[in-house]
Amino acid sequence: MSRTEEFQELRSLLFSIAYRILGGVSEAEDAVQETWLRYETSPAHVRSARAFLSATVTRISIDVLRSARVRREEYVGQWLPEPLLTDPYEDPERSAELADSVSMAALLLLERLSPLERAVFVLREVFGFGFPEIASAVGRSEAACRQLAVRARRHMDEGRPRFEAARGEREELASRFFDALRDGDVAGLRELLAADVSMVGDGGGKAPQLARDVIGAETVARLLASAFPRMARVGVTFEPHEVNGRPGAVFRDRDGKVLHTLALDVLDGQIQTIQTVINPDKLGHLGPVADAWAIHRAVREVGRRR
């Protein structure tokens, strides 16, 4: 098998590793491309393409994450990961770990870890790499990697909800949520929301965004029930779609361009968090991006005419 064939066979794994370390689709794709360039030009004989490539993409991702953290500290408003509609890597034996680790909630928890802790956790807990491989990838001893893994697992366990809903329950609740959203049904929405539900938006200062998180079932229900019918009047539609392994939707303008994504976190039979990403820099991988400011102006005009 040629190096090109080896790389293509492992490309989905490399992207999935990089995305979980970085929380960005474009950054992960760049890390994978840089990994290929290093593999292509490496003069050394490689005994295991999987070990070499996974180690390389991990090191590149750690370096990128260290510089990205500085940018995220200066980010305008709430930072959320770039939405991922489909994870290209599949492993039936680790399907639960893969699905959980790509959720917005898990990626935000990973943000609390140091770059090394994050890399070790991803390689060990998500993809099941052995400690010898992990040690080679991150340039630390096996003993140090075991300590990093324990520390990372403890931080992640402390932040995880205890009773997350099963997939079927999430999908059924999401279906009812989107029906109520289409109808502008305040009562229907309120029934599905946790009392302390929070709605979080990521515009990055480049699109209309919430000035602050919206908290509470009544407030969130009324906001959603009033906002979407007005958006629909200017041609905005949405299609339910899994976002980061959780129920969600992609919103589009009248020309089919991507306006924003929405993802739901479900806990104890109710929606706990609603996360929207409208920053155009985070949506380009999903297709042509809508002019969010133009739609915002049109929606405000509709509101004034009522």
Side-chain angles (χ1 to χ4, degrees):
M1 185 181 292
S2 69
R3 285 194 174 186
T4 301
E5 291 169 330
E6 289 174 332
F7 176 79
Q8 290 301 332
E9 188 173 89
L10 293 163
R11 188 183 190 106
S12 62
L13 170 64
L14 303 178
F15 172 85
S16 293
I17 291 172
Y19 177 76
R20 286 163 174 81
I21 295 175
L22 293 168
V25 172
S26 54
E27 289 176 329
E29 289 174 342
D30 289 345
V32 171
Q33 183 60 27
E34 177 63 24
T35 298
W36 161 245
L37 294 175
R38 295 189 188 183
Y39 188 45
E40 182 186 33
T41 58
S42 173
H45 171 69
V46 176
R47 289 199 304 173
S48 168
R50 183 178 185 272
F52 178 91
L53 291 168
S54 58
T56 302
V57 81
T58 297
R59 293 190 201 106
I60 291 169
S61 298
I62 289 171
D63 289 342
V64 173
L65 182 59
R66 284 172 174 152
S67 61
R69 288 199 155 196
V70 176
R71 296 194 301 274
R72 289 174 193 177
E73 288 173 0
E74 301 170 350
Y75 196 78
V76 178
Q78 172 70 52
W79 180 91
L80 293 175
E82 286 187 25
L84 183 69
L85 301 189
T86 304
D87 186 355
Y89 180 71
E90 296 180 359
D91 181 350
E93 294 184 1
R94 305 194 68 81
S95 58
E97 293 91 339
L98 290 168
D100 288 343
S101 65
V102 84
S103 71
M104 289 277 186
L107 292 171
L108 288 171
L109 282 176
L110 283 168
E111 283 289 303
R112 302 179 185 181
L113 306 182
S114 71
L116 276 178
E117 287 174 340
R118 185 164 181 164
V120 169
F121 181 88
V122 166
L123 292 176
R124 180 63 180 173
E125 300 295 328
V126 180
F127 295 97
F129 280 72
F131 281 108
E133 293 175 288
I134 297 171
S136 175
V138 303
R140 295 292 188 275
S141 68
E142 288 186 42
C145 289
R146 290 179 187 276
Q147 291 180 335
L148 287 165
V150 169
R151 202 156 58 230
R153 192 183 307 116
R154 184 173 64 248
H155 289 316
M156 293 295 288
D157 288 344
E158 288 171 354
R160 279 198 178 110
R162 293 186 179 181
F163 304 107
E164 196 172 57
R167 183 185 184 93
E169 182 183 356
R170 292 198 304 259
E171 291 175 351
E172 190 274 335
L173 193 148
S175 177
R176 292 166 57 199
F177 171 85
F178 288 118
D179 286 344
L181 181 64
R182 283 192 185 94
D183 296 339
D185 180 358
V186 175
L189 288 166
R190 185 173 53 231
E191 178 186 352
L192 303 172
L193 303 175
D196 59 348
V197 64
S198 64
M199 185 170 176
V200 182
D202 177 351
K206 299 183 177 183
Q209 65 188 70
L210 300 170
R212 60 181 64 86
D213 296 356
V214 181
I215 308 293
E218 183 69 27
T219 305
V220 171
R222 289 192 177 280
L223 174 61
L224 290 171
S226 65
F228 182 71
R230 282 185 285 171
M231 293 169 68
R233 288 178 64 185
V234 300
V236 174
T237 60
F238 67 83
E239 55 197 44
H241 199 295
E242 196 169 82
V243 178
N244 287 82
R246 295 294 184 266
V250 179
F251 287 68
R252 300 181 184 274
D253 70 3
R254 64 173 69 253
D255 298 318
K257 295 179 179 179
V258 179
L259 174 61
H260 68 79
T261 61
L262 180 150
L264 304 174
D265 274 334
V266 178
L267 180 65
D268 293 338
Q270 292 182 303
I271 295 169
Q272 190 69 43
T273 310
I274 302 170
Q275 295 151 325
T276 63
V277 177
I278 195 170
N279 183 343
D281 294 346
K282 296 185 176 185
L283 300 173
H285 62 285
L286 303 180
V289 179
D291 184 344
W293 287 111
I295 292 172
H296 179 66
R297 290 191 294 270
V299 168
R300 290 184 64 183
E301 183 61 29
V302 166
R304 282 196 291 267
R305 290 175 185 169
R306 292 187 65 181

